[in-house]
Amino acid sequence: MIYLPVMKNRMYENKIFTEYRDLFGGNIAPIIEVIFDKINKKVNSFDELLEYYDENLGYQYFIDVFVFAENEYRYKDNEKLTFSFENRKSTHKEYFEMLKKVALSNYGVPVISVKGVREYFDDSNLLVDFVTELQKFTNTIAIRIAADKFQKHFTNLDNILRRSDLFIFDINEESIEPYCFDIEDLNNRTGQYQNIILHSPRKESIANRSFKDGVFTDLIDNSILKNYDEYNFDGVADYLGYKNALPSTGSNGEGSALSLMFDYNQNQFFSVLNVDSKKGASGFEYVMDQLIRKYEHKLDPDGDCKAYALMKENYMKEKFGNWAIWNYYTMLRYLTQIKKNL
């Protein structure tokens, strides 16, 4: 199985790269969606970003220069996303030059992202030329294609992708069933490249308060992680139990504190929720207390979960965390479970 965790280049995702690089390598390589030109609040050039990931990962990683349509996300803080907005206005030549830099880095693999907001790829001939030209600079590229663009481009791409390339079929939050004909075309492909299904099982629209306290939730359908091969995919890409979400303006101080701890064997997330939404981030004291005092023996029976180790360290210091740190725990737990069971 190939596993590609999809991670935006926010501060806590970068912390996973620097502090837990042993979780990567082999069949696990991150797709880094670059939405900032910053590392730890310091503005960097694109070249410096690539140097940072080359140095801190030391393994293969994928770079997606991330852009999005105006109506693609429900919540976002436009002031934090100027880098993505600038790249949304770039020409195909400017986009090519950025991906060429990835191709020439030590470990980076360029991801050609084909989605509606990149209107120049509506020209199939331009896309073919773009791919074949980029292939000259590296042994491996990845095509990430939004599901609604598949039928327009697949036949042309199938003819030019090499054995060492990847084709990433992105269904985002959708179920896989509506794409049965597309998958049939993929199964009949002529090329021998690797074929990956990318999805976001935790929907952006599901609020924290929708989860229950102390149960394995049925609000997240993670079945693709285990049955991807039934559709003849070579691997899976997902968001490590986090939503496919952009930085937003934040809450008004309220909100339901939630933890989602993934269990690989069950292929489900165990939810611990502070039902008092007025507590906001201070409600994580209850969440952390429950996870450590009540559920640790069930969720970390072997004592080898890196998320639990970090939680317990912070628990002893009475550092109960905020929204960003708990997203970090969620991703770290998920990645630990994947690494342990691959």
Side-chain angles (χ1 to χ4, degrees), residues 41 198 251 299:
K41 300 183 179 180
L198 188 155
S251 66
L299 296 174

Side-chain angles (χ1 to χ4, degrees), residues 192-258:
Q192 297 185 28
Y193 46 86
Q194 293 170 317
N195 195 21
I196 308 296
I197 178 77
L198 188 155
H199 75 133
S200 177
R202 182 180 172 188
K203 297 182 186 301
E204 186 188 13
S205 61
I206 300 177
N208 286 7
R209 64 179 178 273
S210 302
F211 290 86
K212 296 178 181 178
D213 183 28
V215 298
F216 281 103
T217 183
D218 59 3
L219 294 179
I220 302 175
D221 179 4
N222 210 48
S223 57
I224 288 177
L225 181 69
K226 294 289 185 75
N227 67 13
Y228 69 93
D229 55 348
E230 295 177 13
Y231 301 94
N232 292 318
F233 286 99
D234 299 301
V236 176
D238 63 30
Y239 292 86
L240 292 161
Y242 188 47
K243 302 174 183 179
N244 175 17
L246 292 173
S248 64
T249 53
S251 66
N252 58 2
E254 297 185 358
S256 302
L258 171 72

Side-chain angles (χ1 to χ4, degrees), residues 319-333:
K319 293 181 178 181
F320 304 115
N322 56 27
W323 310 106
I325 291 172
W326 279 88
N327 290 333
Y328 180 59
Y329 289 144
T330 296
M331 291 185 282
L332 185 57
R333 165 71 180 199

Side-chain angles (χ1 to χ4, degrees), residues 181-198:
F181 293 122
D182 296 337
I183 292 169
E184 183 178 349
D185 289 341
L186 278 169
N187 291 339
N188 293 326
R189 64 189 185 275
T190 59
Q192 297 185 28
Y193 46 86
Q194 293 170 317
N195 195 21
I196 308 296
I197 178 77
L198 188 155

Side-chain angles (χ1 to χ4, degrees), residues 92-93 95-96 99 111-116 118-135 141-146 149-161 167:
H92 74 275
K93 292 181 179 179
Y95 183 42
F96 181 88
L99 294 186
V111 177
I112 301 171
S113 180
V114 182
K115 56 193 303 188
R118 287 200 165 98
E119 295 180 358
Y120 43 75
F121 284 149
D122 286 343
D123 182 342
S124 295
N125 292 327
L126 186 151
L127 177 58
V128 167
D129 291 343
F130 192 102
V131 172
T132 54
E133 187 63 24
L134 190 61
Q135 286 173 325
I141 66 161
I143 300 286
R144 176 180 180 178
I145 190 162
K149 296 295 180 181
F150 177 86
Q151 287 297 332
K152 181 178 181 63
H153 296 297
F154 175 67
T155 300
N156 289 331
L157 293 172
D158 184 41
N159 291 328
I160 60 175
L161 291 179
F167 187 90

